[in-house]
Amino acid sequence: KRAVAKLYGLDKGVFGVTAPLTGGELSHLFEKAFAGSDMPFYALVTTGSDEFVTREDFVHALTRAMGYTVSDEKGKEYAPRYADVPRESKLFAPLHSLAERGVFLQVGQGGVFMPSSFVTRGEAADMTMRAVTAGKGR
């Protein structure tokens, strides 16, 4: 992942909002954003590491941190928003659930989400802030 980041120039700027988010930074972000939550952040696959976090991993981590469960989606039919996330994907329902809450105003433009792409620090901060202010949407 680091080689790809260097190829695209995403390894620049320690404090840059366009830099890829690492698992360690994700842990720190969620500990601040979800302070007081009983969510065990160590249980999230991507947290705590120095590997870059993909958009797909970030969506799964964010929905878990918000208390999302698959049972929340029973009976909901989402119109597909992203050409690269098919209805059969495990990402489909969590992604569309967050999209309905306005979490992706800066991400997923043009009808593609690019789930295997890196999430940047700026995108992660924006999505987390929007998720926290949106709540569970119940």
Side-chain angles (χ1 to χ4, degrees), residues 114-127:
M114 298 183 297
S116 60
S117 179
F118 303 110
V119 66
T120 66
R121 291 174 179 164
E123 290 169 337
D126 183 68
M127 288 186 279

Side-chain angles (χ1 to χ4, degrees), residues 34-124:
F34 297 102
S37 169
D38 59 356
M39 175 63 193
F41 294 109
Y42 60 84
L44 300 175
V45 175
T46 55
T47 58
S49 74
D50 63 351
E51 293 292 317
F52 298 129
V53 178
T54 65
R55 289 176 175 214
E56 179 173 8
D57 289 342
F58 185 81
V59 165
H60 287 299
L62 185 59
T63 53
R64 284 192 58 203
M66 292 177 66
Y68 170 91
T69 64
V70 174
S71 64
D72 293 340
E73 300 304 307
K74 288 198 187 317
K76 291 186 181 176
E77 281 294 320
Y78 295 113
R81 294 173 184 247
Y82 309 103
D84 55 349
V85 181
R87 193 176 294 278
E88 311 75 55
S89 169
K90 289 182 181 179
L91 180 61
F92 186 86
L95 179 66
H96 284 74
S97 176
L98 289 176
E100 291 235 331
R101 294 184 185 119
V103 173
F104 299 126
L105 295 181
Q106 303 296 323
V107 179
Q109 303 298 321
V112 293
F113 186 70
M114 298 183 297
S116 60
S117 179
F118 303 110
V119 66
T120 66
R121 291 174 179 164
E123 290 169 337

